[in-house]
Short mmCIF file of all heavy atoms in Angstrom, two decimals:
data_model
loop_
_atom_site.label_atom_id
_atom_site.label_comp_id
_atom_site.label_asym_id
_atom_site.label_seq_id
_atom_site.Cartn_x
_atom_site.Cartn_y
_atom_site.Cartn_z
N SER A 1100 -55.17 -14.24 -15.62
CA SER A 1100 -54.26 -14.71 -14.58
C SER A 1100 -53.74 -16.12 -14.91
O SER A 1100 -52.56 -16.43 -14.72
CB SER A 1100 -54.95 -14.73 -13.21
OG SER A 1100 -55.38 -13.42 -12.87
N LEU A 1101 -54.63 -16.96 -15.42
CA LEU A 1101 -54.22 -18.32 -15.82
C LEU A 1101 -53.17 -18.23 -16.96
O LEU A 1101 -52.16 -18.93 -16.94
CB LEU A 1101 -55.42 -19.13 -16.30
CG LEU A 1101 -56.40 -19.58 -15.22
CD1 LEU A 1101 -57.67 -20.16 -15.85
CD2 LEU A 1101 -55.75 -20.59 -14.30
N ASN A 1102 -53.45 -17.39 -17.92
CA ASN A 1102 -52.49 -17.25 -19.02
C ASN A 1102 -51.14 -16.76 -18.52
O ASN A 1102 -50.10 -17.25 -18.95
CB ASN A 1102 -53.04 -16.26 -20.06
CG ASN A 1102 -53.68 -17.00 -21.23
OD1 ASN A 1102 -54.24 -18.08 -21.04
ND2 ASN A 1102 -53.62 -16.44 -22.41
N ARG A 1103 -51.18 -15.81 -17.62
CA ARG A 1103 -49.91 -15.28 -17.10
C ARG A 1103 -49.14 -16.37 -16.36
O ARG A 1103 -47.91 -16.44 -16.38
CB ARG A 1103 -50.17 -14.10 -16.19
CG ARG A 1103 -50.65 -12.86 -16.98
CD ARG A 1103 -50.95 -11.66 -16.10
NE ARG A 1103 -51.52 -10.56 -16.91
CZ ARG A 1103 -51.37 -9.28 -16.64
NH1 ARG A 1103 -50.69 -8.89 -15.58
NH2 ARG A 1103 -51.90 -8.38 -17.43
N SER A 1104 -49.89 -17.27 -15.72
CA SER A 1104 -49.23 -18.38 -15.02
C SER A 1104 -48.50 -19.30 -15.98
O SER A 1104 -47.55 -19.96 -15.62
CB SER A 1104 -50.27 -19.19 -14.23
OG SER A 1104 -50.73 -18.45 -13.12
N MET A 1105 -48.99 -19.32 -17.21
CA MET A 1105 -48.35 -20.15 -18.23
C MET A 1105 -47.36 -19.37 -19.07
O MET A 1105 -46.79 -19.88 -20.02
CB MET A 1105 -49.43 -20.75 -19.15
CG MET A 1105 -50.10 -21.98 -18.60
SD MET A 1105 -48.91 -23.33 -18.27
CE MET A 1105 -48.38 -23.73 -19.92
N GLY A 1106 -47.16 -18.13 -18.73
CA GLY A 1106 -46.21 -17.33 -19.50
C GLY A 1106 -46.77 -16.80 -20.81
O GLY A 1106 -46.02 -16.34 -21.66
N HIS A 1107 -48.07 -16.89 -20.94
CA HIS A 1107 -48.68 -16.37 -22.16
C HIS A 1107 -49.14 -14.93 -21.94
O HIS A 1107 -49.35 -14.50 -20.82
CB HIS A 1107 -49.90 -17.22 -22.54
CG HIS A 1107 -49.55 -18.53 -23.13
ND1 HIS A 1107 -48.84 -18.66 -24.31
CD2 HIS A 1107 -49.81 -19.79 -22.73
CE1 HIS A 1107 -48.68 -19.94 -24.58
NE2 HIS A 1107 -49.25 -20.66 -23.65
N ALA A 1108 -49.38 -14.28 -23.08
CA ALA A 1108 -49.99 -12.95 -23.00
C ALA A 1108 -51.43 -13.11 -22.53
O ALA A 1108 -51.99 -14.20 -22.55
CB ALA A 1108 -49.97 -12.30 -24.38
N ASP A 1109 -52.01 -12.02 -22.10
CA ASP A 1109 -53.39 -12.09 -21.61
C ASP A 1109 -54.33 -12.65 -22.66
O ASP A 1109 -54.24 -12.32 -23.84
CB ASP A 1109 -53.89 -10.68 -21.23
CG ASP A 1109 -53.24 -10.20 -19.94
OD1 ASP A 1109 -52.63 -11.03 -19.22
OD2 ASP A 1109 -53.32 -8.99 -19.65
N LEU A 1110 -55.22 -13.48 -22.22
CA LEU A 1110 -56.19 -14.06 -23.15
C LEU A 1110 -57.11 -12.99 -23.68
O LEU A 1110 -57.46 -12.99 -24.86
CB LEU A 1110 -56.99 -15.13 -22.42
CG LEU A 1110 -57.92 -15.90 -23.36
CD1 LEU A 1110 -57.11 -16.65 -24.38
CD2 LEU A 1110 -58.81 -16.82 -22.57
N TYR A 1111 -57.52 -12.09 -22.83
CA TYR A 1111 -58.39 -11.00 -23.28
C TYR A 1111 -57.69 -9.68 -22.95
O TYR A 1111 -57.90 -9.10 -21.88
CB TYR A 1111 -59.76 -11.09 -22.57
CG TYR A 1111 -60.76 -10.11 -23.16
CD1 TYR A 1111 -61.35 -10.34 -24.40
CD2 TYR A 1111 -61.14 -8.97 -22.46
CE1 TYR A 1111 -62.25 -9.45 -24.95
CE2 TYR A 1111 -62.05 -8.06 -22.99
CZ TYR A 1111 -62.60 -8.32 -24.25
OH TYR A 1111 -63.51 -7.42 -24.77
N PRO A 1112 -56.83 -9.23 -23.86
CA PRO A 1112 -56.01 -8.05 -23.59
C PRO A 1112 -56.73 -6.74 -23.91
O PRO A 1112 -56.22 -5.92 -24.67
CB PRO A 1112 -54.80 -8.28 -24.51
CG PRO A 1112 -55.35 -9.03 -25.65
CD PRO A 1112 -56.49 -9.88 -25.12
N PHE A 1113 -57.87 -6.58 -23.34
CA PHE A 1113 -58.67 -5.39 -23.60
C PHE A 1113 -59.28 -4.87 -22.31
O PHE A 1113 -59.43 -5.61 -21.34
CB PHE A 1113 -59.81 -5.71 -24.58
CG PHE A 1113 -59.33 -6.27 -25.88
CD1 PHE A 1113 -59.27 -7.63 -26.06
CD2 PHE A 1113 -58.96 -5.43 -26.93
CE1 PHE A 1113 -58.82 -8.17 -27.27
CE2 PHE A 1113 -58.51 -5.96 -28.13
CZ PHE A 1113 -58.44 -7.33 -28.30
N ILE A 1114 -59.64 -3.60 -22.35
CA ILE A 1114 -60.28 -3.00 -21.18
C ILE A 1114 -61.65 -2.48 -21.58
O ILE A 1114 -61.78 -1.81 -22.60
CB ILE A 1114 -59.42 -1.84 -20.66
CG1 ILE A 1114 -58.10 -2.39 -20.11
CG2 ILE A 1114 -60.18 -1.06 -19.59
CD1 ILE A 1114 -57.07 -1.34 -19.78
N LEU A 1115 -62.63 -2.85 -20.79
CA LEU A 1115 -63.98 -2.37 -21.09
C LEU A 1115 -64.28 -1.12 -20.28
O LEU A 1115 -64.61 -1.20 -19.10
CB LEU A 1115 -65.01 -3.47 -20.75
CG LEU A 1115 -64.87 -4.79 -21.51
CD1 LEU A 1115 -65.98 -5.75 -21.13
CD2 LEU A 1115 -64.89 -4.56 -23.01
N SER A 1116 -64.16 0.01 -20.92
CA SER A 1116 -64.47 1.28 -20.24
C SER A 1116 -65.99 1.46 -20.23
O SER A 1116 -66.71 0.76 -20.95
CB SER A 1116 -63.82 2.44 -20.97
OG SER A 1116 -64.36 2.54 -22.29
N GLU A 1117 -66.46 2.42 -19.48
CA GLU A 1117 -67.91 2.69 -19.45
C GLU A 1117 -68.48 2.95 -20.83
O GLU A 1117 -69.51 2.41 -21.21
CB GLU A 1117 -68.23 3.83 -18.49
CG GLU A 1117 -68.17 3.45 -17.00
CD GLU A 1117 -69.31 2.49 -16.61
OE1 GLU A 1117 -70.25 2.31 -17.38
OE2 GLU A 1117 -69.24 1.93 -15.50
N PRO A 1118 -67.83 3.86 -21.62
CA PRO A 1118 -68.37 4.12 -22.98
C PRO A 1118 -68.41 2.85 -23.82
O PRO A 1118 -69.34 2.65 -24.60
CB PRO A 1118 -67.39 5.14 -23.56
CG PRO A 1118 -66.81 5.84 -22.37
CD PRO A 1118 -66.71 4.77 -21.30
N VAL A 1119 -67.40 1.98 -23.68
CA VAL A 1119 -67.39 0.74 -24.46
C VAL A 1119 -68.54 -0.17 -24.00
O VAL A 1119 -69.21 -0.79 -24.81
CB VAL A 1119 -66.03 0.02 -24.33
CG1 VAL A 1119 -66.12 -1.38 -24.90
CG2 VAL A 1119 -64.95 0.82 -25.05
N MET A 1120 -68.78 -0.20 -22.71
CA MET A 1120 -69.89 -1.04 -22.21
C MET A 1120 -71.24 -0.51 -22.73
O MET A 1120 -72.15 -1.27 -23.00
CB MET A 1120 -69.87 -1.12 -20.69
CG MET A 1120 -68.69 -1.96 -20.18
SD MET A 1120 -68.83 -2.38 -18.44
CE MET A 1120 -67.65 -1.29 -17.73
N LYS A 1121 -71.30 0.80 -22.89
CA LYS A 1121 -72.53 1.37 -23.43
C LYS A 1121 -72.70 0.95 -24.88
O LYS A 1121 -73.81 0.63 -25.34
CB LYS A 1121 -72.46 2.91 -23.32
CG LYS A 1121 -73.75 3.60 -23.61
CD LYS A 1121 -73.64 5.11 -23.37
CE LYS A 1121 -74.90 5.80 -23.87
NZ LYS A 1121 -74.68 7.25 -24.04
N LYS A 1122 -71.60 0.95 -25.61
CA LYS A 1122 -71.65 0.50 -27.02
C LYS A 1122 -72.04 -0.97 -27.08
O LYS A 1122 -72.85 -1.37 -27.92
CB LYS A 1122 -70.30 0.72 -27.69
CG LYS A 1122 -69.91 2.18 -27.88
CD LYS A 1122 -68.46 2.31 -28.36
CE LYS A 1122 -68.03 3.77 -28.41
NZ LYS A 1122 -66.60 3.92 -28.76
N LEU A 1123 -71.47 -1.76 -26.20
CA LEU A 1123 -71.85 -3.18 -26.17
C LEU A 1123 -73.34 -3.33 -25.84
O LEU A 1123 -74.01 -4.23 -26.37
CB LEU A 1123 -71.00 -3.92 -25.12
CG LEU A 1123 -69.54 -4.20 -25.51
CD1 LEU A 1123 -68.72 -4.61 -24.28
CD2 LEU A 1123 -69.47 -5.30 -26.56
N GLY A 1124 -73.81 -2.46 -24.99
CA GLY A 1124 -75.23 -2.50 -24.62
C GLY A 1124 -76.13 -2.23 -25.81
O GLY A 1124 -77.18 -2.85 -25.99
N PHE A 1125 -75.69 -1.30 -26.66
CA PHE A 1125 -76.46 -1.00 -27.88
C PHE A 1125 -76.49 -2.23 -28.78
O PHE A 1125 -77.53 -2.61 -29.33
CB PHE A 1125 -75.83 0.20 -28.62
CG PHE A 1125 -76.49 0.49 -29.94
CD1 PHE A 1125 -77.73 1.13 -30.00
CD2 PHE A 1125 -75.89 0.11 -31.15
CE1 PHE A 1125 -78.35 1.39 -31.22
CE2 PHE A 1125 -76.48 0.38 -32.36
CZ PHE A 1125 -77.74 1.02 -32.41
#
Side-chain angles (χ1 to χ4, degrees):
S1100 299
L1101 288 171
N1102 261 32
R1103 290 179 185 210
S1104 289
M1105 278 300 295
H1107 285 298
D1109 287 346
L1110 186 64
Y1111 189 73
F1113 303 93
I1114 293 169
L1115 299 183
S1116 63
E1117 283 291 348
V1119 168
M1120 289 193 255
K1121 190 175 171 197
K1122 292 172 186 175
L1123 285 165
F1125 175 76

